[in-house]
Amino acid sequence: ALAVAWWLWRTPRRASLWLVAARLAFVACLLAWTTLFHAVALPACRCLTVHFLDVGQGDAVALRTPAGRWILIDGGPRTPQGDAGRRVVVPFLRRQGAGRVALVVATHAHADHVGGLPAVLGALSVELVLDPGEPLGEAPYLEFLAATEAAGARWVAAWAGDRVELDG
């Protein structure tokens, strides 16, 4: 393309109809090519992607594996002002086309980490749930455990050195 552009612009400046038409056609082709290049969707990334979700106080991190499986680490808080799982996490996962979550990890039992997970467990199919297995008698953690059981997800108490392998 650069060679053709150089040739067209370096050609003697006689105003022949052919030269003007060639220059206009070249510019039109470049514009069409760049427009089509940006309009066509590129294939989905075959890499690990990490999304830090803005859930306010607390955490929620979503990872998509190269094979397209989803991992969710924490679900944000559920407070009288709102449920981060229902308001942020579930809509994000649905926009990304996630119908199922391969793994949910609850890093610890505080309400600002597990509060939003019952909404996720109720809205999406979850295969495996990991948490430290250090139960607290607090309502958000007990609701998280009840939602895990109601969803039919497998629950495992994680220990130091445990390993979960997804996609090989």
Side-chain angles (χ1 to χ4, degrees), residues 51-139:
H51 305 270
F52 296 93
L53 306 180
D54 183 5
V55 293
Q57 172 65 38
D59 291 316
V61 180
L63 295 91
R64 188 181 61 79
T65 69
R69 298 179 77 190
W70 286 92
I71 300 168
L72 179 63
I73 303 170
D74 291 334
R78 186 176 74 240
T79 65
Q81 291 76 30
D83 181 340
R86 188 172 318 287
R87 181 178 47 83
V88 177
V89 180
V90 171
F92 169 80
L93 290 169
R94 286 198 171 138
R95 276 193 312 273
Q96 298 298 314
R100 100 178 299 133
V101 177
L103 173 63
V104 168
V105 178
T107 57
H108 60 284
H110 289 157
D112 59 341
H113 292 261
V114 298
L117 290 178
V120 174
L121 288 156
L124 301 166
S125 173
V126 175
E127 296 172 33
L128 175 62
V129 174
L130 295 179
D131 90 22
E134 297 176 2
L136 297 177
E138 297 176 6

Side-chain angles (χ1 to χ4, degrees), residues 9 26 29 31 43 52 58 95 98-99 104 109 118 148 150-151 157 159 165 168:
W9 261 260
F26 178 75
C29 285
L31 289 173
F52 296 93
R95 276 193 312 273
V104 168
T148 300
W159 296 93
E165 188 172 319

Side-chain angles (χ1 to χ4, degrees), residues 32-42:
W33 181 78
T34 57
T35 302
L36 288 175
F37 179 74
H38 292 291
V40 175
L42 298 175

